[in-house]
C-alpha cells in the first residue's frame, strides 16, 4: 500500500509514528520556510508541514505542487503546538512533519473549485463529473446512498428475503412510459425492451416459489425529464407471496424508519412521525390537491362551494351550478401582500392550468381592512361566514380557486407547494411519510375510448369490487398503495391478480384483445395456470428516497453519473451516433439516409 493510514485517521495518540499518506492536495501554502499541505482522501483531511531546514529536498518538491495533485507524503506524526489545534477537523490535533514528498500525478487547474462549496453551473459539473464527485457534498451523498442500500439489504435479509437479479434485455413491461428498445443483431427487425420495472419477472418469481424477493433494480423509462426523473433510475423492487396489503405496509414502514435512522447522523434528517398517516386518494385530493401530499405542513384545502354559491359573484355561482367545486387555502401572515405580489399569484395558478386565483386579504394592524376584488359580491354575513370557515385571522390571506375538480386540485397543490417553500414550512431536514390508498383501478382514456390501468396491468381489484368490472369499471378500486414523502411519490405497489381469468378480463377492459394479450403477456397468463400464490409487492424509488434523506433538491445530486435534463451524458457525450457498420449489423437504416437516397427502404 502507498499509505499506512487514511487522511481522516491520525490523532494525537499516533504521535511519533512514522506514516505514509497519499491523496489529493486540497490546499497548499508556503509560509516562511515551511510549506503546508492539506492532504485529502475519502476519509478526511490531514495537515502536513514541510520544513526547508529539516527536509530541503521534500520542501523543494512541495513548492512545485498545486491543488488536486496526487501526492504521497512520508513523515512523523506530531501533536500540533498549543494554539494551533483545529477543533473543526477530526485530525486537527496533529500534523505530519514531512520527510519525503512524492508526486504520483500532477493536476491541471480544475475548471471549478473542488475544495469549496461554491455554486457551479450544473452543465460544467456534469461534464467534469469525476471532479464534481470529489467535492464534499457529493461524497456525503454517495456515501449515504451506499449506506441506504446496505441498510435495505440488511433489513430484508433479516426478514427472510433473497436478492435475485432479473434481465435488462427483456420484453415490454409497461409502467405508463415509453420503452427503450434495443435492436437485435441475431433476429433482424426484432427488439428487446429495457424493463420499465422487473414487474413481470418478480411475479414469475412468486409463481416459482421464492416467496420473498427483492432487488436493487435499474429501471428504464423514456419520458420527459424533471428534477425527480431520469431515463434510468433505481428501485428497491420487491414482491412477497401469501401477503395482504397490511403486511406490505408494515414491512415498508419499518424499513423507512430504519433508513431515516441510518441517514440522521450524516444529514440531520428527522422523521416527523413514526406512524404513517393513511389517506384515501379522494381525501388526499380534497385536502391537499394531490396524490403525494407534503405533510411537513398544514395549509389544508377547505371546501367553500356552498358559501361561494350564495354570493353575487357570477363565476362562483355558475361554476357551483355546473357541479364544480370552489375551494380555498388560508395562508397565514400574508394578508398585507402588495397588489403586485397578489397579481403574481395569478401566474402561479395559470402555470398549474387554472384561469386565475381569487383572493381575500385580511390586513393586519389598526385598520385591519378586508381587501378583495370580489369582496363587493359578498354580503357582510357571507364574508364573515367565509372567514369563519377558513378560520382566518387578521393578517391572513385567503386564496380561492374555482374550476373543475382536477384544475382546482392542481392550482391549490401549486399554491400549497409555493407557500410551503416561501414560508419556510417545507424544512428539508424533516421527513414526513404518508400512505395513499383506495385508488380507482382504472382511469377513463377519452381519446382512445377505453380504460387505462391507474397503476399497472397486474394490480388486483378489491375483492368486493370485482363485480364492478362487468357493471361499472369506474367504481372498481384497486388494491394499490403509494407511499408519499415530502411531496414526492417514493413508492408504489399493489396486491396482484393471480388468476388467469381475472387477468384476461382486465386485459380486455384496457383494450387488449386476446391475441394481443397472448403475444405480449402470454407467458404470464400461462404461468398463472401452474399454481400461483396470492402475492403483492411494492417498489420504493431509491434515488428519490436518498434525495429526501440528504435534503437535496433533485435526484441528480444523489446519482454518481446522471443524465442532464435533456437526457444526455455530458461527460462521455451520450447518446452519440453509431458507426455505419454497427447499424448495418443491426439491420437499421436511418430515416435521413432513406429520404436522402429517395428510397423508402422497402426495396
Ligand atoms: N412495478 C411497480 C412500479 O415500478 C411497482 C410495483 O407494483 O411493485 O412502480
Amino acid at each position: 500500500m502507498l499509505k499506512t493510514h487514511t487522511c481522516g485517521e491520525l490523532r494525537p495518540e499516533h504521535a511519533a509514528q512514522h506514516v505514509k499518506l497519499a491523496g489529493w492536495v486540497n490546499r497548499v501554502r508556503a509560509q516562511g520556510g515551511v510549506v503546508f499541505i492539506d492532504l485529502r482522501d475519502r476519509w478526511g483531511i490531514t495537515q502536513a508541514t514541510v520544513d526547508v531546514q529539516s527536509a530541503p529536498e521534500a520542501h523543494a518538491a512541495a513548492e512545485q505542487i498545486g491543488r488536486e495533485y496526487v501526492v504521497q507524503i512520508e513523515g512523523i506524526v506530531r501533536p500540533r503546538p498549543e494554539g494551533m489545534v483545529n477543533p473543526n477537523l477530526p485530525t486537527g490535533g496533529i500534523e505530519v512533519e514531512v520527510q519525503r514528498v512524492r508526486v504520483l500525478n500532477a493536476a491541471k487547474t480544475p475548471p471549478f473549485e473542488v475544495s469549496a462549496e461554491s455554486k457551479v453551473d450544473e452543465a460544467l459539473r456534469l461534464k467534469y463529473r469525476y471532479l464534481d464527485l470529489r467535492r464534499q457534498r457529493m461524497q456525503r451523498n454517495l456515501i449515504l446512498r451506499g449506506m441506504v442500500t446496505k441498510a435495505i439489504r440488511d433489513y430484508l435479509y433479516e426478514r427472510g428475503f433473497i436478492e435475485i437479479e432479473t434481465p435488462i434485455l427483456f420484453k415490454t413491461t409497461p409502467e405508463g412510459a415509453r420503452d427503450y428498445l434495443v435492436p437485435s443483431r441475431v433476429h433482424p427487425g426484432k427488439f428487446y425492451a429495457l424493463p420499465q420495472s422487473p414487474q413481470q419477472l418478480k411475479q414469475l418469481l412468486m409463481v416459482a416459489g421464492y416467496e420473498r424477493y427483492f432487488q436493487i433494480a435499474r429501471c428504464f423509462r423514456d419520458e420527459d425529464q424533471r428534477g425527480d426523473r431520469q431515463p434510468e433510475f433505481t428501485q428497491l423492487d420487491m414482491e412477497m407471496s401469501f401477503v395482504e396489503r397490511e403486511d406490505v405496509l408494515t414491512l415498508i414502514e419499518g424499513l423507512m424508519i430504519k433508513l431515516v435512522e441510518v441517514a440522521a447522523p450524516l444529514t440531520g434528517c428527522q422523521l416527523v412521525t413514526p406512524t404513517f398517516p393513511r389517506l384515501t386518494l379522494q381525501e388526499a385530493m380534497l385536502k391537499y390537491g394531490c396524490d403525494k401530499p407534503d405533510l411537513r405542513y398544514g395549509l389544508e384545502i377547505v371546501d367553500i362551494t356552498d358559501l361561494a354559491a350564495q354570493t353575487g359573484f357570477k363565476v362562483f355561482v355558475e361554476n357551483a351550478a355546473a357541479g364544480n367545486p370552489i375551494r380555498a387555502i388560508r395562508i397565514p401572515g400574508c394578508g398585507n401582500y402588495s397588489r403586485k405580489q397578489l397579481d403574481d399569484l395569478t401566474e402561479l395558478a395559470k402555470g398549474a392550468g387554472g384561469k386565475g386565483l381569487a383572493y381575500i386579504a385580511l390586513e393586519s394592524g389598526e385598520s385591519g381592512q378586508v381587501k378583495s376584488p370580489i369582496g363587493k359580491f359578498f354580503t357582510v354575513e357571507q364574508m364573515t361566514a367565509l372567514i369563519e370557515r377558513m378560520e382566518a385571522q387578521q393578517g391572513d390571506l385567503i386564496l380561492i380557486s374555482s374550476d373543475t375538480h382536477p384544475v382546482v386540485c392542481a392550482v391549490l397543490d401549486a399554491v400549497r407547494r409555493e407557500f410551503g417553500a416561501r414560508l419556510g414550512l417545507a424544512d428539508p431536514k424533516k421527513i414526513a411519510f404518508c400512505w395513499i390508498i383506495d385508488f380507482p383501478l382504472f382511469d377513463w382514456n377519452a381519446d382512445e375510448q377505453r380504460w387505462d390501468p391507474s397503476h399497472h396491468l397486474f394490480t388486483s381489484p378489491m375483492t368486493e369490487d370485482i363485480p364492478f368490472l362487468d357493471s361499472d369499471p369506474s367504481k372498481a378500486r384497486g388494491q394499490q398503495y403509494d407511499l408519499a414523502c415530502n411531496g414526492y411519490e417514493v413508492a408504489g405497489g399493489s396486491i396482484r391478480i393471480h388468476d388467469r381469468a381475472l387477468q384476461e378480463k382486465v386485459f380486455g377492459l384496457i383494450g387488449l384483445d386476446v391475441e394481443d394479450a397472448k403475444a405480449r403477456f402470454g407467458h404470464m397468463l400461462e404461468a398463472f395456470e401452474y399454481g400461483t400464490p396470492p402475492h403483492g409487492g411494492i417498489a420504493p424509488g431509491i434515488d428519490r428516497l436518498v434525495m429526501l434523506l440528504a435534503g437535496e433538491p433533485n435526484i441528480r445530486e444523489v446519482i454518481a453519473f446522471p443524465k442532464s435534463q435533456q437526457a444526455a451524458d455530458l461527460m462521455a457525450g451520450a447518446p452519440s451516433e453509431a458507426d455505419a457498420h454497427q447499424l448495418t449489423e443491426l439491420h437499421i437504416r436511418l430515416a435521413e439516409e432513406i429520404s436522402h437516397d429517395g428510397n423508402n427502404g422497402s426495396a
Side-chain angles (χ1 to χ4, degrees), residues 175 197 199 202 221 235 455-456 492-494 496 537-539:
E175 295 276 0
S197 84
Q199 184 62 37
K202 68 173 166 177
R221 298 185 191 177
Q235 280 186 347
H455 182 215
H456 55 55
S494 61
R496 326 294 186 188
I538 188 163

Side-chain angles (χ1 to χ4, degrees), residues 148-452:
V148 163
T149 43
K150 177 174 185 309
I152 289 173
R153 289 194 163 99
D154 292 346
Y155 182 89
L156 293 176
Y157 270 106
E158 278 160 21
R159 286 161 181 78
F161 282 79
I162 56 170
E163 188 170 6
I164 302 176
E165 287 173 79
T166 55
I168 294 298
L169 294 178
F170 193 56
K171 201 168 165 156
T172 184
T173 287
E175 295 276 0
R178 249 178 243 111
D179 284 327
Y180 279 101
L181 295 178
V182 180
S184 164
R185 178 181 59 80
V186 185
H187 303 277
K190 296 203 171 159
F191 296 82
Y192 301 97
L194 304 186
Q196 292 185 34
S197 84
Q199 184 62 37
Q200 297 179 52
L201 294 154
K202 68 173 166 177
Q203 289 192 241
L204 292 169
L205 286 170
M206 295 304 105
V207 181
Y210 286 87
E211 291 201 32
R212 293 185 155 221
Y213 139 93
F214 83 96
Q215 178 179 196
I216 309 285
R218 200 59 69 79
C219 303
F220 305 85
R221 298 185 191 177
D222 187 359
E223 48 194 350
D224 294 334
Q225 304 302 297
R226 290 202 303 249
D228 63 341
R229 288 200 181 150
Q230 281 276 301
E232 54 182 302
F233 59 94
T234 310
Q235 280 186 347
L236 160 59
D237 192 55
M238 22 189 319
E239 199 73 7
M240 290 182 273
S241 294
F242 307 111
V243 287
E244 292 167 327
R245 180 176 81 185
E246 203 52 42
D247 303 302
V248 181
L249 302 197
T250 311
L251 181 94
I252 292 296
E253 286 180 10
L255 175 60
M256 293 302 140
I257 291 169
K258 174 164 176 167
L259 296 186
V260 176
E261 276 167 17
V262 163
L266 209 59
T267 69
C269 64
Q270 250 181 350
L271 200 60
V272 169
T273 154
T275 36
F276 295 15
R278 289 186 190 180
L279 301 165
T280 64
L281 176 66
Q282 203 191 8
E283 278 169 339
M285 298 308 286
L286 290 176
K287 242 173 151 175
Y288 304 106
C290 100
D291 57 2
K292 36 186 176 296
D294 192 338
L295 296 193
R296 284 174 296 177
Y297 50 87
L299 299 183
E300 285 171 13
I301 299 171
V302 177
D303 193 284
I304 55 164
T305 313
D306 55 332
L307 296 179
Q310 289 164 19
T311 64
F313 187 46
K314 228 170 96 197
V315 176
F316 288 171
V317 176
E318 285 175 359
N319 251 335
N324 288 326
I326 300 147
R327 300 191 193 122
I329 294 188
R330 176 184 74 91
I331 312 289
C334 296
N336 289 355
Y337 261 23
S338 67
R339 187 61 203 265
K340 161 101 180 57
Q341 282 174 305
L342 291 164
D343 288 345
D344 286 350
L345 293 175
T346 311
E347 294 310 308
L348 180 72
K350 285 189 182 155
K355 290 192 255 320
L357 201 56
Y359 67 83
I360 297 172
L362 310 185
E363 290 185 327
S364 60
E366 294 275 295
S367 64
Q369 284 186 22
V370 174
K371 223 173 49 183
S372 170
I374 58 168
K376 55 179 178 284
F377 302 111
F378 284 63
T379 64
V380 175
E381 291 73 32
Q382 286 167 346
M383 187 58 84
T384 311
L386 176 74
I387 292 172
E388 254 172 40
R389 169 85 54 93
M390 297 306 300
E391 296 179 11
Q393 298 165 0
Q394 277 196 320
D396 289 350
L397 174 66
I398 299 171
L399 296 173
I400 307 172
S401 172
S402 165
D403 210 306
T404 58
H405 168 72
V407 173
V408 168
C409 288
V411 167
L412 294 181
D413 175 37
V415 167
R416 275 193 89 241
R417 285 176 191 263
E418 170 64 24
F419 281 93
R422 213 185 270 194
L423 302 179
L425 302 170
D427 179 350
K429 295 232 182 298
K430 295 234 160 80
I431 305 285
F433 289 105
C434 67
W435 289 108
I436 311 297
I437 52 174
D438 286 2
F439 287 79
L441 188 60
F442 301 112
D443 297 321
W444 180 244
N445 182 333
D447 293 341
E448 313 227 344
Q449 290 291 303
R450 61 171 164 80
W451 296 102
D452 278 340

Side-chain angles (χ1 to χ4, degrees), residues 112 122-130 569-572:
F112 51 82
E122 196 183 19
L124 194 64
R125 289 178 57 202
L126 291 177
K127 179 162 164 39
Y128 293 96
R129 189 60 161 180
Y130 44 86
D569 181 315
L570 301 180
M571 183 180 66

